[in-house]
Every structure is written in structure tokens, then in C-alpha cells.
Amino acid sequence: MSSKPTHEDRASASGEGHAQPAAVSNFLRAVIENDLRAGRYAARRWGGTPGPAATHAGAAPDPWPVRTRFPPEPNGYLHFGHAKSICLNFGLARDYGGVCHMRFDDTNPTKEEQEYVDSILDAVRWLGFDWGKHLYYASDYFRTLYEFAEAFIEHGYAYVDSQSAEAMRASRGTLTEPGCDSPYRERSAQESLDLFRRMKAGEFADGTHVLRLKIDMASANINLRDPAIYRIRHAHHHRTGDAWCVYPLYDYAHCISDALENITHSICTLEFENNRALYDWIVEKLADFGLLAHPLPRQYEFARLNLTYVVLSKRKLIQLVEDKHVEGWDDPRMPTLVGARRRGYTPEGFRAFAERIGVSKADSSIDLSVLEECMREHLNESAPRRIAVLDPLKLVIDNYPEDAEENCEAPNHPQKPEWGRRALPFSRELWIEREDFAEQPPKGYFRLFPGNRVRLRYGYVVECTGCDKDAAGNIMTVRCSYFPDSKSGTPGANAYKVKGNIHWLSARHAYAAPIRLYDRLFKTPHPGAAEDFVAELNPDSMRQSSAQVEPALREAQPEARFQFERHGYFVADRVDSRAGAPVFNRAVGLKDSWRG
Ligand code: ATP
Ligand code: MG
């Protein structure tokens, strides 16, 4: 039975040029510009709601010169690949003064759920797109789709086939051999109509009959060998309940949904290329019957997004969740949009990424670092700077008075003076990074070691005098003395020339916060191609620790993003943070430091 192709069906999809996105190119722009110039869609009418030709007849011209759609099946969470499709469909509509429909392709009752519908709408909105009034469901067209199917029967272009599924498969032929006709193919329209109505009335069990189009069992294109368009499914649908027990198949429902909605450019991924002939056949026949009107929508295929170090197959993502390799669909390591959001990735970053990689017809694989760089660029612009010490070690300034404290001033963004400065409390005992002290400095080490001077960023210059160790020889405290006339921003500061500049926090003022450092989920670039992709998981994809952070970060709201100086971009987790107790996730480091 013909069902929706998956990208895994495409044997040729492995031709991998590592596309280094150079010039932005998008062949669909040329297609749309040509169509607009030629006025190809100018004759469309719009009756205000989707529907067959009769709904639009006599209505005013369609106000939208271009209509695209994003048509997910509500059977999973959206991933990075969907983000490409969303940016493309909504972006083209926006750029050409058109509209993009949000449509759920909910024709398969058994796998679909409201939970997915909600999360998909949320993700599209989060990416920054708005479908206005144009939220549609293929299930809203069940009545029309059914009536159109009766029309196909009446015109002699469809028949009820009562063969078993195995017999149907066996008579379908192969890529090199034609199929052969079903013994039911010449059933009268009368008999098929009667059977189809009884299928709908619930008289038959699942799998006993299907409705097939009568096209050509010898066609070189297997999709045209009398594809099934309706099957019996005694199943509850998340929107239509138990109203139906026959459900349309994807190829049939999709092209008709496009036509009912006056879609102009129906954009999909390459695995649907061989379905286009069927798409055209169906809508053209319906136009011949007078049920649809010209101009009809046209399908265009583009190369799906593949990313290194990532799997985007829904089946594999489900496996990662179900077998608990990750903590859920929204685990910040997952390539889902809910995961990315928790990770601290930004909608602006995704939109920039979609622009940068362009749209082509050639399969390729984009390096994950391109996406990370897009996130980094937007976060660099938008994230205020803060201080966090991820691996804290105590630094004591022996010549600073015990109970004294004062403020140092740090800019909230080095290139944006208008964002102001904030006070960083300074006192005798500080937290510094453990790696910023070395008892025996390696060559070229400019940070703290006995006898060396460094600047405490935004504060004083200090000179290291030694360290205290516990009985096992672990370094517990570093000791130093400071130069009272060296404070940053004071006239004396320039007299001190030091090579090292380290960050710090006042131990009395900082507080401990949970931090999660994420790394790539897979350790090899093409996990999807491996025999067992689970074996390619990176065992160190998450490290959890307790960091010392600036006191003001206590008030960070969920989803607030920051640059922790020298450590990268972090977000207050929207799930695990509590009022006054945010948990921070690292979105990306400051530079591409992946050495895998
Ligand atoms: P399945 O086919 O198993 O349901 P899917 O990921 O293709 O999975 P859909 O709900 O069909 O899910 O996808 C909705 C839209 O997103 C489709 O138009 C599809 O072409 C597009 N899409 C899906 N994956 C990618 C990808 N990796 N790159 C670009 N577009 C994609
Ligand atoms: Mg798909």
C-alpha cells in the first residue's frame, strides 16, 4: 500500500559534499519570481475558507499572491530539519507578500496526538512565525476528501480492491518489472461505490478492502500503479473522534489539501520527487471533474537538512527517548526545537542558519559547527556578560583588610556602553578558576603561579605568594597580595603591565548554582550512517557541576541568556529553574573548540 516515503527510502541520499555554505542561494525564489511575473496564479479566487472550486466560485480574487504551507504530521516533536522547512515556507511567503498556512497532516489516526499538535504550534511561534488565521487540519477536509473519492469512482478512475495486502504487494511489480492488474480492477463503478459506502459505514474489518485509483499498473513510476487512497481503520482520531472508519492516505490527502487551500507553491523534501506525478494526476483529474479550479498548486522539492553529529530521523529520535539515552524530547542535547530552546539556542540563530545554508536540490551534509556559529553570533550580540567560576578555588589576598569590601565595575556588554555597567563586589577572599593557578607553570603560562602577577579583571593586580595544601597534597587555597593603587579604571592602573587577566568572584557575595555543560550528543560525524547509531553516542555529552556565580544571577528569569566570560553562552533552564534558584545550561562555547 502506498504510504508516505521516508528519506531513508532514498538510496542515493548519501552523496555527501560537505557543503560549505558560500553564497546564499535559493532556487525557489527564482521559481516564485517567474510565476509572479507571468501571473500564473493571478486567476485564483478565495471564498474565505479552504474548500472545493464551488466554495471559491464567484468569490473575489485571492488576496495573497503566494500561499505556502508548513504541513507537519502531529506524530512527534519538531527537529532542526523542520526549522529549515519552517523558515523556508514562512520566509518565502513573507518575502513575496504572501501567507504561509500552518496545516496539520493528521490523516493517520493511530499515531497522532494533541500533545504533538500543541508542541508543534509552540515551536513554530517560538521560531518567530505567525500563521494568522490560517491554521488548518487535513482532518477538516475528511468530508470533501471522501466526496472527491466517490467522484473518482463515478468517473471510472477508482475501484474498491478486495485483495489481501500480500496479494496487492505481490502484484505491484518492481522498479524493473511492471505490476499486474487486480482481479477487482474492472469492478463496476456501481459496485465499487456501494462497497466504498459500506466501508465508510463500518461494515468491514480493517484491511479487508481498500479504494485504489485506476491509473496504470505498468507505469514506470510505481507511485502511479493504482495507488491506494483510502483504507479501513477502526480507530479513534484525535480530532474527529469516531466519526470515520475510513481514512485517506497521505498522497491523496496532501495534494487535495493544498488545492483546497489555494496553495501556490507546495514545497517538500526530495524523497517526494517521484510522488509529484501522482500529485499532479489527482488534482488535474479533479479539475476535469469541475471539483477544483485552475491554476492548481505545484510541488517543488528541495534537499532536506542533514547535519553532522546529529540524527534527524524521527524513528531514531524516538528510540533515543524511549530507551532513555536522553532525558526526554526536550533534553538540551536533542536536535529538537524544544531541546534547542532549553539549550539556549535562539530563534534568530535558526533563522540566520536557514539563510546561510540556502536551499538546493542536491543532498549534502552541513557541519554542525555552522549552526553553532549562527547561535554564537546572535548570542554575542544579545547576551549580557556575567561572571561565573565553574571550577572554584579559593584565592586569599593577605594584605586586604578582613572585613572590608568595595565594588568594582564591569560592563554589561563590551561593545554596548548603553547597556551600562554593574557593580561586582570585591573582598579579601575570592573564587578563581582552578585552572588559573599552577604551582609549576607550564611554558607560556601567564596566569597565577608563585611570584607572578595577574590582573583580576575589572579589579586589582595581585602577585601570587604561594598556596596551602591539605594532607593529601591537594591545593586548597592560593595566596597573594594586592597593589592598592592598581584598581582598573583608576589613574594608577596603567602603571602595571601584566600578561594574565583572570576572572574572579567575591566568595562572600557569590553563590553556588548548578551548571550543565553540554557537548555534542554523538562522537562521530555521521551517526545515522553507522550500523548501530546508539554506539556512537558521546559518553561525555553532559557534565553537571556546581559553579560560583555573581549574586545578581539569582534573579535570572527562565530563558534569560548570558555570556559567562571566558566560558561561553548560558541560559537559565526553563524547566528546572526555580524562583531565586536558576539552573544554567551552556548553549555553546565562545569558540569552536570541538576536537572530535
Ligand atoms: P515522517 O515523514 O516520518 O513523518 P518528517 O520528519 O518528514 O517525518 P513531517 O511531519 O512529515 O515529518 O515533516 C513536516 C515537514 O517538514 C515536511 O514538509 C518535511 O518535508 C519537512 N522536513 C522534515 N524533515 C526535514 C529535514 N531534515 N530538512 C528539511 N525539511 C524537513
Ligand atoms: Mg516526512
Side-chain angles (χ1 to χ4, degrees):
M1 185 174 299
S2 86
S3 64
K4 207 172 161 185
T6 72
H7 67 279
E8 283 153 358
D9 297 338
R10 277 178 58 84
S12 65
S14 55
E16 256 167 30
H18 261 251
Q20 260 321 316
V24 181
S25 77
N26 178 345
F27 72 95
L28 292 164
R29 292 186 182 280
V31 168
I32 293 178
E33 284 163 23
N34 262 327
D35 288 345
L36 288 175
R37 250 194 313 274
R40 183 194 290 281
Y41 295 100
R44 289 169 313 134
R45 314 251 135 204
W46 178 246
T49 48
T55 315
H56 302 312
D62 192 324
W64 303 106
V66 170
R67 286 184 191 254
T68 56
R69 84 286 170 269
F70 174 62
E73 197 181 330
N75 64 353
Y77 286 81
L78 297 185
H79 55 59
F80 295 180
H82 295 118
K84 175 177 177 179
S85 177
I86 293 166
C87 292
L88 177 60
N89 280 295
F90 281 92
L92 288 172
R94 175 200 58 211
D95 294 348
Y96 293 100
V99 67
C100 180
H101 295 189
M102 179 72 222
R103 181 201 314 143
F104 286 100
D105 235 321
D106 58 347
T107 51
N108 186 349
T110 55
K111 289 195 295 184
E112 295 162 1
E113 287 171 33
Q114 189 59 38
E115 174 197 345
Y116 296 128
V117 169
D118 296 339
S119 100
I120 289 170
L121 291 177
D122 224 39
V124 175
R125 242 182 256 121
W126 178 73
L127 277 179
F129 297 106
D130 181 9
W131 50 86
K133 303 179 292 196
H134 302 280
L135 171 59
Y136 303 117
Y137 293 84
S139 56
D140 289 342
Y141 313 139
F142 279 171
R143 159 83 20 213
T144 305
L145 290 164
Y146 176 83
E147 285 166 4
F148 284 9
E150 286 205 348
F152 275 110
I153 299 172
E154 283 161 358
H155 285 84
Y157 287 111
Y159 60 98
V160 170
D161 195 343
S162 311
Q163 296 185 96
S164 67
E166 298 84 81
M168 241 181 300
R169 210 170 302 125
S171 60
R172 214 171 162 217
T174 64
L175 282 175
T176 48
E177 289 164 52
C180 45
D181 288 359
S182 161
Y184 300 96
R185 198 172 198 261
E186 297 311 325
R187 224 169 210 167
S188 70
Q190 189 87 55
E191 188 185 357
S192 279
L193 199 55
D194 173 62
L195 282 168
F196 188 46
R197 288 179 178 162
R198 289 166 60 200
M199 283 164 64
K200 171 174 170 277
E203 284 187 32
F204 306 117
D206 288 8
T208 50
H209 305 278
V210 294
L211 183 68
R212 297 178 77 174
L213 291 177
K214 193 190 276 191
I215 308 180
D216 179 8
M217 287 306 292
S219 172
N221 183 341
I222 292 188
N223 292 290
L224 296 179
R225 294 183 191 165
D226 291 10
I229 58 168
Y230 262 93
R231 62 182 161 181
I232 305 173
R233 275 282 169 100
H234 290 271
H236 188 84
H237 185 279
H238 76 115
R239 294 188 78 241
T240 58
D242 297 315
W244 295 88
C245 62
V246 288
Y247 288 96
L249 279 131
Y250 174 83
D251 276 326
Y252 177 73
H254 190 86
C255 57
I256 297 176
S257 303
D258 281 347
L260 297 175
E261 293 176 17
N262 268 14
I263 298 301
T264 54
H265 301 82
S266 178
I267 300 164
C268 62
T269 41
L270 286 174
E271 68 269 25
F272 291 93
E273 203 164 11
N274 290 329
N275 301 56
R276 191 188 336 122
L278 176 57
Y279 184 112
D280 291 342
W281 191 93
I282 292 172
V283 292
E284 276 161 22
K285 278 281 172 296
L286 289 166
D288 292 348
F289 305 162
L291 296 170
L292 294 177
H294 286 280
L296 297 163
R298 288 205 175 188
Q299 175 181 304
Y300 299 90
E301 307 88 20
F302 71 99
R304 63 191 297 110
L305 172 67
N306 298 303
L307 272 175
T308 59
Y309 298 97
V310 166
V311 296
L312 292 178
S313 139
K314 227 178 245 178
R315 191 175 53 76
K316 293 192 172 105
L317 296 179
I318 289 172
Q319 192 180 335
L320 289 176
V321 173
E322 286 183 348
D323 297 349
K324 304 219 177 331
H325 297 295
V326 292
E327 282 159 20
W329 286 103
D330 67 350
D331 187 303
R333 292 165 295 179
M334 284 286 274
T336 52
L337 295 180
V338 276
R341 183 169 176 182
R342 277 189 71 187
R343 174 79 173 252
Y345 282 14
T346 70
E348 292 86 349
F350 276 110
R351 298 201 301 262
F353 175 67
E355 281 299 320
R356 197 163 301 179
I357 61 177
V359 180
S360 85
K361 270 195 159 293
D363 270 309
S364 70
S365 169
I366 305 288
D367 205 277
L368 180 57
S369 61
V370 177
L371 177 64
E372 292 169 335
E373 185 56 26
C374 289
M375 297 303 161
R376 203 176 279 126
E377 283 173 15
H378 177 246
L379 289 163
N380 178 38
E381 279 295 305
S382 60
R385 275 42 174 175
R386 293 291 181 265
I387 306 288
V389 176
L390 301 192
D391 187 9
L393 173 64
K394 195 61 84 58
L395 175 72
V396 176
I397 307 168
D398 288 309
N399 63 339
Y400 194 85
E402 291 244 359
D403 43 10
E405 60 180 67
E406 65 186 289
N407 281 328
C408 297
E409 278 209 331
N412 288 321
H413 193 293
Q415 283 91 43
K416 297 180 196 266
E418 69 278 15
W419 286 18
R421 301 170 75 81
R422 68 194 188 284
L424 271 185
F426 185 87
S427 64
R428 186 171 190 264
E429 296 200 0
L430 308 177
W431 292 115
I432 61 168
E433 295 292 344
R434 191 163 284 275
E435 63 168 30
D436 285 344
F437 172 75
E439 202 178 9
Q440 310 284 339
K443 209 164 169 262
Y445 188 86
F446 299 121
R447 290 167 276 169
L448 279 176
F449 55 86
N452 194 38
R453 293 179 183 182
V454 300
R455 175 166 299 280
L456 299 172
R457 184 175 261 188
Y458 315 124
Y460 292 95
V461 171
V462 294
E463 180 170 313
C464 181
T465 53
C467 64
D468 306 339
K469 296 182 187 173
D470 67 5
N474 299 309
I475 295 164
M476 303 305 287
T477 306
V478 177
R479 299 205 163 262
C480 68
S481 49
Y482 86 121
F483 299 94
D485 59 346
S486 66
K487 191 174 183 180
S488 286
T490 64
N494 294 336
Y496 293 82
K497 297 286 176 237
V498 293
K499 285 191 174 157
N501 188 329
I502 66 174
H503 66 273
W504 52 273
L505 287 168
S506 163
R508 199 188 298 163
H509 300 89
Y511 82 100
I515 292 264
R516 296 184 291 217
L517 300 178
Y518 292 105
D519 211 328
R520 296 177 176 184
L521 184 54
F522 291 95
K523 58 188 178 198
T524 54
H526 303 289
E531 203 156 300
D532 173 17
F533 79 103
V534 169
E536 307 303 307
L537 284 165
N538 173 7
D540 301 317
S541 59
M542 179 180 57
R543 274 188 296 135
Q544 194 145 277
S545 70
S546 173
Q548 291 288 332
V549 304
E550 273 187 52
L553 285 170
R554 234 188 252 280
E555 305 314 320
Q557 295 302 304
E559 299 206 76
R561 305 183 189 100
F562 304 95
Q563 183 196 94
F564 289 172
E565 292 192 22
R566 295 174 68 204
H567 291 305
Y569 297 97
F570 288 74
V571 65
D573 190 289
R574 64 195 280 254
V575 174
D576 295 333
S577 296
R578 296 289 167 267
V583 175
F584 294 100
N585 298 333
R586 179 157 71 185
V588 276
L590 287 181
K591 45 183 193 291
D592 185 7
S593 60
W594 178 258
R595 292 167 304 273

